[in-house]
């Protein structure tokens, strides 16, 4: 019996070895890896994003691919776990990988060095290492369309508008409730700089992973500190817990603003009616009223090929997955203009990312007019716009309650990014590229 | 196994005390090390090296460390994650503050620093035992992770609290950390480093110190009566165990992931290492390696095999089946052999000695 088990194990190992050692298939398809999570504590938020991304690629394939090149998309489940993310990356990486989507700030941090060495672009869309948007030090990292620092500035800008100008912020109390990880800590530096510049008082409230225990935090916020505004950098169950706890201490919802990862249907619906009035930042449209999303419904969902349930289409995180897919496809298309209409290497697609110019005409052709802002990436600036808007939950859906807000990139954020990137370069002994 | 040691006479004490008294065992081990050192780097691809073998070696070292404390000295500890964090952050501070310090020295010094912290958190073990001690070490776990999360000095004021290993060479031209480091160099370095430390651990537990640990483990009052000082025995176990675990933490941050935040050393890391030694075998150096292999490799193996059998299967189903099979296998192994994989290996060896004519 023992020998039999041993034999089975050996056979299994042989299968595994063959699977990992066999060479990649011929290069007629463009390979896109995705590090998603459909298991673990953050799965409720990871699943719609992963479905949106997969469905967008299916839609592009159904329409004939990118200039005739089909996309071969493969997922690996990280469970939002950094070491598993590294394993997934190593499993899926190959020279022909178009771009890595880590979908976790922690995993992004772990992958930056590896992907740079392997010459595969990392697209951390609205998350990840903010300093990565300095293309001179991070040639393979792209943080478009916005970073957490821009997000923090946009939200403070919105608060200033509501208060009647930046000068009215003086003496106000703003609290930040954040996931105590690399993700949640990203905006602190920016908020501290803004607090110093505009004279508001910033209080920090870290919440330990996974964020189910926030009673003490909210008692302190609601009963003791009573801040004028509360910002939140949360993810997964932390978001809905925070909204429920905020309601329990009767904190006014319309003075509670989350970053774009704290503003999806999954976050507000568990809190029911109490969540009405809760605000969050966002950088893309919601709903299905865009030609590209209608195409997904028609060509993918109605064809019985949808990755997830149909009523998920148009929700915030699903649409964010769509936007992530659209940006990767546009980068591949841009790279194809330069290197020919065939499956390309990650190194070549990086050039596509760097030459990315999604203008109004391009958005029209993609069927995403009004869905997102035009984006232009340059060699030095891998963030693009940094613009976002504020949306509010009315109990049924998200409504846009502000215009697109321009963060103070030139005056405040960009110098901070360049400084952080230079510090990283010094620590790592990297010589910055010349982008002129 | 399949061979007899008949005719091999021990003529001196050194031969009698050898770790591997049988010639065939020594040949087998030599071949195995040669295979690991030469054939594996030549044959294994990058995926195998950097995501399977490297974490396996790092975890083996952590498991050896915990096994010294829990398996040999009988002091239950749930602070492994915290001690690994100590090693990682100490190594980071040392490596960035003294760029000229050789990286191997950095790792060893990080281990020494962690040993100090281990002694500090080992003091309660002089008064409390068993589960109560586990709770006391749990405090170490939470306190240490909190310290590294709270004070930005530990991460050189990086805004996100993530440390990133600076590039360092082991010998000129061969980087083991940073972007230039190739998985082969990392693997070979780790293999040699871990093998040496495992040898040290093996000799420690065979010597006076290990014997005093085991005496304390088996019955502390009796040990005290025969002249073993519990203070020395327990605190030395904490110190040496933390030394190994600290180095493992530094290797985890520097060689495996390359960048790490305190969150990577949460309580589940402590449980992971504890499960390794329980499944591998308490009080066995070989068991530490087997347990690490089981816990690190099996989930990845299950995941890959399922996808190799049917590539179209959804990743969500694969992950969930992986959890189920993994859990079932842990229970199965503990039912089949409660003393761990090391004991299973020992039984297999004994059976094979008699094979094919068992009596």
């Amino acid at each position: 019996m023992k020998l039999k088990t041993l034999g089975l194990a050996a056979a299994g190992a042989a299968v595994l070895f063959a699977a990992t050692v066999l060479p990649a298939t011929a290069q007629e398809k463009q390979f896109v890896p995705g590090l998603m999570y459909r298991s673990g504590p953050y799965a409720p938020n990871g699943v719609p994003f992963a479905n949106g991304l997969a469905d967008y690629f299916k839609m592009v394939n159904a329409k004939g691919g990118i200039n005739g090149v089909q996309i071969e998309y493969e997922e690996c489940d990280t469970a939002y776990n950094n070491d598993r993310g590294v394993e997934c990356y190593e499993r899926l990486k190959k020279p022909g990988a178009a771009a890595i989507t880590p979908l976790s700030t922690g995993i992004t941090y772990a992958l930056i060095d590896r992907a740079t060495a392997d010459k595969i672009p990392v697209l951390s869309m609205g998350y990840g290492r903010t300093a990565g948007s300095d293309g001179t030090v991070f040639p393979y990292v792209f943080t478009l369309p916005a970073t957490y620092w821009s997000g923090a500035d946009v939200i403070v800008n919105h608060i200033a508008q509501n208060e009647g100008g930046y000068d009215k912020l003086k003496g106000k109390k703003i609290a930040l409730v954040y996931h105590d990880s690399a993700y949640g800590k990203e905006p602190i530096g920016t908020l501290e700089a803004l607090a110093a510049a505009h004279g508001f008082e910033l209080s920090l409230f870290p919440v330990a992973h996974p964020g189910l225990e926030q009673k003490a935090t909210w008692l302190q916020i609601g009963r003791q500190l009573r801040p004028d505004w509360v910002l939140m950098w949360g993810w997964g169950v932390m978001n809905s817990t925070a909204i429920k706890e905020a309601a329990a201490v009767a904190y006014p919802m319309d003075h509670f603003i989350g970053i774009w990862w704290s503003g999806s249907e999954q976050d507000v619906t568990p809190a029911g009616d109490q969540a009405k009035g809760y605000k969050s930042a966002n950088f893309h449209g919601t709903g299905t009223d865009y030609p590209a999303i209608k195409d997904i419904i028609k060509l993918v969902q109605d064809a019985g090929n949808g990755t997830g349930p149909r009523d998920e289409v148009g929700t915030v995180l699903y649409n964010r997955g769509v936007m992530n897919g659209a940006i990767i496809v546009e980068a591949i298309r841009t790279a194809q203009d330069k290197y020919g209409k065939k499956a390309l290497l990650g190194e070549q697609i990086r050039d596509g990312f760097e030459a990315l110019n999604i203008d109004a005409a391009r958005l029209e052709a993609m069927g995403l007019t009004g869905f997102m802002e035009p984006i232009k990436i340059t060699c030095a600036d891998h963030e693009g716009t940094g613009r976002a808007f504020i949306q509010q939950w009315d109990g049924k859906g998200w409504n846009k309650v502000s215009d697109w807000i321009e963060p103070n990139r030139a005056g405040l954020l960009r110098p901070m990014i360049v400084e952080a990137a230079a510090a990283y370069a010094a620590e790592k002994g990297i010589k910055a590229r010349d982008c002129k | 196994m399949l061979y007899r040691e008949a005719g091999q006479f021990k003529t001196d004490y050194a031969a009698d005390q050898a770790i591997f008294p049988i010639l065939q065992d020594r040949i087998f081990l030599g071949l195995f090390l040669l295979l690991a050192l030469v054939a594996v780097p030549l044959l294994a691809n990058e995926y195998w090296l950097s995501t399977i073998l490297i974490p396996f070696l790092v975890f083996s070292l952590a498991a050896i460390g915990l096994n010294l404390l829990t398996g040999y000295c009988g002091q239950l500890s749930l602070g492994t994650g915290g001690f690994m964090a100590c090693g990682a952050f100490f190594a980071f501070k040392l490596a960035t503050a003294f760029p000229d310090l050789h990286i191997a020295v950095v790792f060893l010094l990080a281990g020494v620093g962690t040993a100090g912290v281990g002694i500090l958190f080992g003091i309660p073990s002089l008064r409390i035992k068993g589960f109560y001690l586990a709770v006391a070490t749990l405090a170490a776990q939470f306190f240490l992770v909190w310290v590294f999360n709270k004070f930005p000095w530990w991460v050189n004021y990086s805004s996100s609290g993530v440390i990133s290993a600076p590039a360092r060479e082991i010998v000129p031209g061969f980087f083991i950390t940073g972007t230039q480091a190739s998985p082969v160099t990392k693997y070979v370095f780790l293999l040699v480093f871990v093998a040496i430390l495992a040898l040290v651990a093996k000799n420690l537990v065979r010597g006076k110190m290990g014997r005093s640990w085991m005496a304390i483990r088996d019955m502390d009052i009796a040990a005290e009566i025969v002249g073993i000082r519990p203070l020395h025995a327990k605190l030395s176990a904490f110190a040496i165990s933390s030394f190994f675990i600290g180095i493992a933490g530094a290797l985890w941050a520097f060689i495996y992931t390359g960048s790490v935040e305190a969150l990577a050393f949460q309580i589940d890391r402590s449980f992971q290492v504890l499960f390794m030694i329980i499944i591998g075998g308490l009080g066995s150096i070989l068991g530490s390696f087997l347990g690490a292999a089981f816990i690190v490799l099996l989930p990845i193996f299950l995941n890959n095999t399922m996808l190799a059998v049917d590539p179209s299967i959804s990743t969500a189903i694969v992950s969930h089946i992986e959890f189920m099979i993994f859990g079932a296998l842990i229970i199965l192994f503990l039912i089949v052999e409660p003393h761990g994989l090391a004991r299973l290996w020992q039984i297999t060896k004994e059976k094979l000695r008699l094979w094919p004519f068992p009596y």
Side-chain angles (χ1 to χ4, degrees):
Chain A
M1 190 258 160
K2 213 153 265 162
L3 275 178
K4 198 175 155 194
T5 352
L6 209 68
L8 274 178
V15 169
L16 169 67
F17 198 69
T20 48
V21 169
L22 278 181
T25 46
Q27 286 282 310
E28 73 272 1
K29 282 186 174 180
Q30 180 67 54
F31 179 66
V32 182
L35 308 188
M36 298 292 135
Y37 31 99
R38 294 172 183 276
S39 66
Y42 300 92
N45 293 45
V47 169
F49 185 97
N51 290 346
L53 184 62
D55 280 356
Y56 187 82
F57 291 142
K58 284 180 184 167
M59 188 271 283
V60 170
N61 279 347
K63 285 169 104 177
I66 312 165
N67 295 321
V69 179
Q70 293 276 311
I71 297 167
E72 185 194 355
Y73 172 63
E74 193 177 338
E75 243 178 44
C76 180
D77 195 299
T78 66
Y80 200 71
N81 182 332
N82 288 0
D83 26 314
R84 206 59 196 266
V86 169
E87 191 266 323
C88 275
Y89 167 78
E90 294 287 342
R91 194 193 302 181
L92 293 183
K93 80 170 186 198
K94 42 183 131 172
I100 289 278
T101 306
L103 197 57
S104 147
T105 296
I107 298 177
T108 311
Y109 266 87
L111 293 187
I112 285 176
D113 280 358
R114 289 166 191 262
T116 306
D118 295 328
K119 297 193 182 341
I120 299 172
V122 177
L123 173 58
S124 54
M125 195 185 83
Y127 55 90
R129 185 174 205 135
T130 302
S133 52
D134 184 350
T136 59
V137 177
F138 297 91
Y140 282 89
V141 183
F142 295 88
T143 57
L144 63 131
T147 60
Y148 289 135
W149 297 4
S150 300
D153 194 45
V154 162
I155 295 175
V156 172
N157 190 317
H158 175 76
I159 292 173
Q161 283 176 21
N162 271 276
E163 296 282 355
Y166 270 112
D167 48 328
K168 297 277 184 352
L169 285 182
K170 199 164 178 60
K172 288 270 185 293
K173 284 190 276 189
I174 297 182
L176 170 69
V177 177
Y178 65 98
H179 192 262
D180 201 1
S181 65
Y183 155 54
K185 285 179 189 165
E186 276 282 335
I188 293 174
T190 307
L191 289 172
E192 278 170 349
L194 287 168
H198 303 299
F200 62 83
E201 188 192 316
L202 178 71
S203 318
L204 302 175
F205 293 93
V207 173
H209 154 94
L212 281 169
E213 184 42 62
Q214 298 179 35
K215 275 231 152 35
T217 307
W218 283 96
L219 271 178
Q220 209 182 340
I221 292 174
R223 298 269 187 270
Q224 195 180 2
L225 183 72
R226 294 173 190 273
D228 300 285
W229 295 84
V230 176
L231 314 188
M232 173 157 73
W233 254 250
W235 187 225
V237 285
M238 174 182 162
N239 293 336
S240 50
T241 311
I243 293 170
K244 279 188 262 184
E245 296 291 350
V249 296
Y251 190 82
M253 277 299 154
D254 55 347
H255 281 60
F256 185 14
I257 310 177
I259 187 64
W260 37 73
W261 299 109
S262 304
S264 61
E265 287 77 0
Q266 287 80 358
D267 305 326
V268 283
T269 36
D273 278 348
Q274 296 175 327
K276 263 187 204 167
Y278 173 72
K279 290 176 175 176
S280 86
N282 199 351
F283 49 70
H284 58 75
T286 50
T288 55
D289 211 8
Y290 304 95
I293 309 254
K294 284 182 178 148
D295 279 349
I296 290 180
I297 294 180
K298 195 172 79 191
L299 298 170
V300 181
Q301 291 284 351
D302 288 351
N305 208 5
T307 318
R310 185 180 163 149
D311 51 5
E312 193 179 76
V313 181
T315 61
V316 172
L317 288 170
Y318 183 93
N319 280 14
R320 193 158 301 153
V322 168
M323 179 174 173
N324 199 123
I327 287 173
I328 292 177
V329 167
E330 279 315 297
I332 296 171
R333 197 189 302 277
T334 314
Q336 282 183 350
D337 290 344
K338 192 170 171 189
Y339 294 104
K341 298 182 179 10
K342 54 178 196 287
L344 300 173
L345 300 176
E347 204 178 343
Q348 297 169 320
I349 289 162
R350 189 201 72 90
D351 294 347
F353 269 107
E354 241 168 36
L356 198 65
N357 186 6
I358 306 178
D359 53 13
R362 206 46 242 158
L363 279 175
E364 177 79 41
M366 290 156 70
L368 290 174
T369 304
F371 181 79
M372 54 194 256
E373 285 278 85
I375 299 172
K376 191 173 186 316
I377 298 300
T378 63
C379 164
D381 177 15
H382 285 187
E383 180 178 3
T385 69
R387 280 192 286 275
F389 62 86
I390 303 294
Q391 57 181 10
Q392 192 169 27
W393 178 252
D394 67 1
K396 288 186 190 66
W398 290 100
N399 301 312
K400 198 170 160 182
V401 292
S402 82
D403 288 330
W404 287 89
I405 299 171
E406 181 82 46
N408 184 9
R409 294 216 306 143
L412 174 77
L413 302 177
R414 196 65 200 167
M416 281 168 59
I417 288 174
V418 169
E419 191 191 335
Y424 177 85
E427 195 180 295
K428 286 278 187 175
I430 297 171
K431 202 172 166 297
R433 275 191 307 168
D434 191 7
C435 269
K436 287 177 187 101
Chain B
M1 40 191 303
L2 305 176
Y3 52 78
R4 306 278 184 274
E5 63 263 41
Q8 296 180 28
F9 300 109
K10 292 162 191 153
T11 50
D12 53 17
Y13 285 120
D16 194 40
Q17 290 174 350
I19 301 178
F20 297 98
I22 305 169
L23 176 70
Q24 285 92 335
D25 275 350
R26 286 198 292 274
I27 295 175
F28 177 73
L29 184 81
L31 284 177
F32 183 78
L33 278 179
L34 203 69
L35 194 80
L37 201 59
V38 179
V40 169
L42 286 176
L43 292 176
N45 59 10
E46 210 182 316
Y47 172 72
W48 269 83
L49 285 175
S50 59
T51 64
I52 295 183
L53 296 172
I54 289 178
F56 158 66
L57 287 170
V58 173
F59 267 125
S60 300
L61 193 62
I64 290 174
L66 186 63
N67 223 336
L68 293 181
L69 183 65
T70 305
Y72 285 97
C73 196
Q75 310 297 309
L76 192 54
S77 163
L78 288 175
T80 320
F83 294 133
M84 282 178 83
C86 272
F89 285 90
F90 288 173
F92 175 71
K93 283 307 285 187
L94 283 169
T96 48
F98 307 102
D100 294 329
L101 208 58
H102 191 270
I103 189 72
V105 178
V106 168
F107 290 150
L108 293 174
L109 284 178
V112 171
T114 314
V117 179
I119 291 177
L120 204 64
F121 282 99
I123 293 173
S125 72
L126 302 173
R127 281 292 177 88
I128 50 181
K129 288 184 222 169
F131 292 119
Y132 303 98
L133 179 65
V135 175
T137 53
L138 204 59
Q141 165 70 44
F142 287 110
F143 174 75
L144 291 171
V145 170
W146 174 81
V147 164
F148 298 122
N149 229 341
K150 173 77 182 171
F151 300 103
W153 179 78
W154 288 107
V155 294
N156 284 353
Y157 304 97
S158 129
S159 63
S160 53
V162 176
I163 57 169
S164 180
R168 292 286 183 273
E169 297 155 309
I170 182 73
V171 286
F174 288 95
F175 281 93
I176 55 165
T177 60
T179 40
Q180 302 101 312
S182 89
V184 174
T185 358
K186 285 182 175 182
Y187 167 75
V188 172
F189 165 74
L190 261 186
L191 185 70
V192 174
F193 202 65
V194 172
I196 294 172
L197 285 170
L199 187 69
V200 170
K202 181 75 190 169
N203 279 322
L204 270 177
V205 299
R206 293 177 337 128
K208 183 185 168 213
M209 199 176 261
R211 280 162 204 274
S212 66
W213 293 344
M214 285 184 268
I216 291 282
R217 173 192 67 189
D218 292 341
M219 197 182 207
D220 50 355
I221 293 176
E224 211 174 335
I225 288 168
V226 298
I228 291 165
R229 295 172 69 180
L231 177 89
H232 284 199
K234 286 183 177 176
L235 290 190
S236 66
F238 263 98
I240 291 168
S241 154
S242 307
F243 174 76
F244 278 82
I245 295 173
I247 292 180
L251 294 174
W252 172 276
F254 274 61
I255 298 199
Y256 175 43
T257 55
S259 78
V260 86
E261 54 180 316
L263 209 62
F265 300 109
Q266 288 282 0
I267 179 78
D268 27 345
R269 191 70 67 213
S270 302
F271 282 121
Q272 205 179 4
V273 181
L274 188 66
F275 294 156
M276 279 173 196
I277 63 165
I278 291 175
I279 288 176
L282 286 168
S284 159
I285 301 292
L286 173 72
S288 310
F289 283 97
L290 295 178
F294 188 89
I295 299 274
V296 175
L297 309 191
L298 195 71
I300 298 173
F301 172 78
L302 288 172
N303 198 304
N304 272 309
T305 317
M306 271 187 273
L307 284 171
V309 171
D310 179 9
S312 60
I313 190 168
S314 144
T315 51
I317 296 178
V318 171
S319 308
H320 292 127
I321 294 181
E322 175 202 312
F323 287 138
M324 288 189 261
I325 299 183
F326 187 54
L329 278 175
I330 290 179
I331 295 173
L332 180 83
F333 269 103
L334 287 182
I335 290 173
V336 171
E337 185 46 71
H339 294 290
L341 298 172
R343 175 83 186 129
L344 211 58
W345 169 247
Q346 207 183 347
I347 293 172
T348 317
K349 251 172 53 168
E350 279 164 15
K351 289 224 164 115
L352 280 172
R353 258 182 102 217
L354 302 176
W355 186 85
F357 303 115
Y359 44 79

